[in-house]
Amino acid sequence: RLELLRTGVADLLGLIDLHAVVARLSDLADALVAECLQLAQTQAESSGSSAESRLLVCAFGKLGGQELNYSSDIDLLLLRTEHCPESVAHRLTELLVRHLTQATSEGYLYRVDLRLRPYGRTGPPAPTPDRRARTVSFAHRTALPFPAVSQSAGTRALRRLLKKAQVQGGAAGEE
């Protein structure tokens, strides 16, 4: 709350420009998503999930472009690592979204939109490893920007995935 207040006051007083405002709001969202993901993973591990069960978080839309404003929702695409069973990925997704959206006496953090994943609401919340190339293909085909922001311990794996998709170039959108 303090960081949001600092940004809002600096914005109101004209001490920072629009670019700085949206950058600060985006950085704050990045940190909060990462913290909520860590909390979800800790909770899943305490329930018996493997410590290797991880989600990769990709931000699209205004957060992915580092252009988040005060009322933006956050568009996320979640991918699961090779060692994360679908049931665990589903649980991690539920926990992450709950932490980000749950109303408290102080309000909620963000509205979360997961519909950008392949097959929308009918697809798995975090696609399986063998569907990763298809996930990137989906993003390429629909002209969505590649995620500019990623969180979690799996950031290197996500970067490898995106690099592979870029190497494939135009072929990534063909199936």
Side-chain angles (χ1 to χ4, degrees), residues 130-166:
D130 61 327
R131 294 173 69 184
R132 285 184 181 178
R134 202 171 180 162
T135 300
V136 174
S137 172
F138 166 82
H140 177 76
R141 200 172 50 247
T142 56
L144 292 171
F146 282 123
V149 180
S150 63
Q151 299 88 12
S152 87
T155 299
R156 266 188 246 127
L158 177 61
R159 288 183 189 186
R160 282 193 306 271
L161 169 69
L162 293 175
K163 186 175 183 177
K164 180 179 176 184
Q166 289 172 339

Side-chain angles (χ1 to χ4, degrees), residues 99-133:
H99 294 315
L100 290 168
T101 62
Q102 187 171 7
T104 68
S105 61
E106 298 177 1
Y108 61 92
L109 295 174
Y110 299 99
R111 294 181 321 275
V112 176
D113 187 350
L114 298 176
R115 293 175 295 169
L116 293 177
R117 66 184 186 258
Y119 310 108
R121 292 177 192 220
T122 62
T128 57
D130 61 327
R131 294 173 69 184
R132 285 184 181 178

Side-chain angles (χ1 to χ4, degrees), residues 27-43:
D27 290 346
L28 178 60
D30 291 344
L32 290 170
V33 169
E35 195 62 35
C36 288
L37 179 61
Q38 182 59 49
L39 179 59
Q41 291 178 169
T42 300
Q43 289 175 319

Side-chain angles (χ1 to χ4, degrees), residues 18-126:
L18 180 61
H19 179 73
V21 171
V22 297
R24 283 185 180 189
L25 294 174
S26 297
D27 290 346
L28 178 60
D30 291 344
L32 290 170
V33 169
E35 195 62 35
C36 288
L37 179 61
Q38 182 59 49
L39 179 59
Q41 291 178 169
T42 300
Q43 289 175 319
E45 287 171 21
S46 70
S47 300
S49 296
S50 165
E52 292 184 10
S53 292
R54 298 277 179 203
L55 291 182
L56 308 174
V57 178
C58 309
F60 285 91
K62 290 184 180 190
L63 178 57
Q66 292 284 284
E67 298 172 342
L68 202 67
N69 63 50
Y70 294 108
S71 63
S72 295
D73 68 345
I74 54 175
D75 299 305
L76 303 177
L77 173 66
L78 306 176
L79 302 171
R80 65 184 173 110
T81 60
E82 291 86 2
H83 305 289
C84 185
E86 188 170 342
S87 60
V88 175
H90 195 283
R91 179 73 178 138
L92 286 169
T93 300
E94 286 178 342
L95 289 168
L96 173 63
V97 171
R98 182 181 312 142
H99 294 315
L100 290 168
T101 62
Q102 187 171 7
T104 68
S105 61
E106 298 177 1
Y108 61 92
L109 295 174
Y110 299 99
R111 294 181 321 275
V112 176
D113 187 350
L114 298 176
R115 293 175 295 169
L116 293 177
R117 66 184 186 258
Y119 310 108
R121 292 177 192 220
T122 62

